[in-house]
């Protein structure tokens, strides 16, 4: 299918503040359109950022219509028509950085809602080794909000990176 996509980004410094912004738009002929914007501000060791994206599907398909074309996931139109946004704050001190973020998505046709909160850390041991940790909480709400189509959980992740 035909698509027309445009994006613009900018980065500017105002004294000790660094501002980065972007905006994008996509028109997918006979299908849907996307719009997204985002920004981050850095001041000394702190960074605050966020973004927003909205997808408007032109399809009149009901949310429970299965599409059997071996390419499109089942119930696709019910989940792509919606919005998503996130916000995060991070701090860096010497070899250590830490940050907390929040993510939320809502599908308008199906009323599915996902929420995710995460705290992540990184420590650069030396030029070759990096240690990572993260903890998170996620909540998925389905159409009815019952246990059958909703759930939640926590995670802990630890890792080691080797840089060549």
């Amino acid at each position: 299918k035909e698509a027309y996509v445009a994006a613009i980004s900018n980065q500017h410094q105002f004294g000790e503040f660094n501002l980065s912004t972007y905006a994008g738009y996509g028109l997918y002929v006979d299908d849907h359109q996307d719009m997204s914007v985002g920004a981050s501000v850095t001041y000394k060791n702190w960074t605050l950022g966020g973004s927003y994206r909205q997808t408007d599907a032109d399809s009149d398909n009901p949310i429970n219509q299965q599409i059997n074309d071996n390419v499109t996931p089942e119930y696709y139109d019910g989940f792509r028509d919606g919005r998503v946004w996130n916000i995060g704050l991070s701090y860096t001190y010497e070899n250590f950085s830490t940050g907390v973020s929040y993510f939320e998505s809502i599908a308008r046709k199906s009323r599915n809602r996902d929420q995710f909160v995460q705290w992540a850390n990184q420590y650069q041991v030396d030029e070759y080794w990096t240690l990572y940790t993260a903890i998170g909480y996620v909540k998925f709400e389905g159409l009815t909000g019952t246990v059958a189509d909703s759930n939640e959980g926590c995670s802990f992740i630890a890792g080691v990176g080797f840089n060549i």
Side-chain angles (χ1 to χ4, degrees):
K1 295 187 177 196
E2 292 179 34
Y4 302 95
V5 179
I8 188 169
S9 66
N10 184 42
Q11 190 168 6
H12 194 76
Q13 191 158 355
F14 302 96
E16 293 187 57
F17 289 89
N18 187 19
L19 174 66
S20 299
T21 60
Y22 79 89
Y25 180 80
L27 176 63
Y28 303 85
V29 178
D30 298 327
D31 200 13
H32 70 280
Q33 57 186 346
D34 287 325
M35 181 275 304
S36 61
V37 293
S40 68
V41 177
T42 301
Y43 176 72
K44 296 186 178 180
N45 297 3
W46 293 92
T47 300
L48 174 67
S51 65
Y52 176 84
R53 178 180 177 185
Q54 182 169 320
T55 301
D56 296 312
D58 294 332
S59 173
D60 292 327
N61 294 338
I63 63 168
N64 60 352
Q65 177 178 342
Q66 292 187 15
I67 301 169
N68 296 313
D69 64 5
N70 295 324
V71 176
T72 307
E74 292 183 8
Y75 313 116
Y76 182 65
D77 284 340
F79 296 100
R80 71 180 172 142
D81 188 43
R83 65 178 173 80
V84 60
W85 68 277
N86 72 310
I87 188 166
L89 177 66
S90 66
Y91 180 77
T92 301
Y93 179 74
E94 295 181 358
N95 294 350
F96 177 74
S97 64
T98 186
V100 63
S101 61
Y102 175 80
F103 168 91
E104 180 179 69
S105 68
I106 297 176
R108 282 192 298 260
K109 287 186 178 183
S110 66
R111 295 195 312 248
N112 285 27
R113 180 179 180 194
D114 303 333
Q115 297 171 287
F116 185 64
V117 178
Q118 176 178 281
W119 176 38
N121 301 285
Q122 174 180 320
Y123 179 72
Q124 186 76 40
V125 177
D126 57 28
E127 65 180 298
Y128 300 107
W129 296 98
T130 307
L131 304 176
Y132 302 94
T133 62
I135 57 173
Y137 168 78
V138 66
K139 183 176 183 180
F140 301 105
E141 295 177 32
L143 179 62
T144 64
T146 64
V147 174
D149 65 1
S150 301
N151 58 56
E152 60 187 305
C154 296
S155 63
F156 175 76
I157 301 166
V160 176
F162 179 69
N163 308 307
I164 298 176

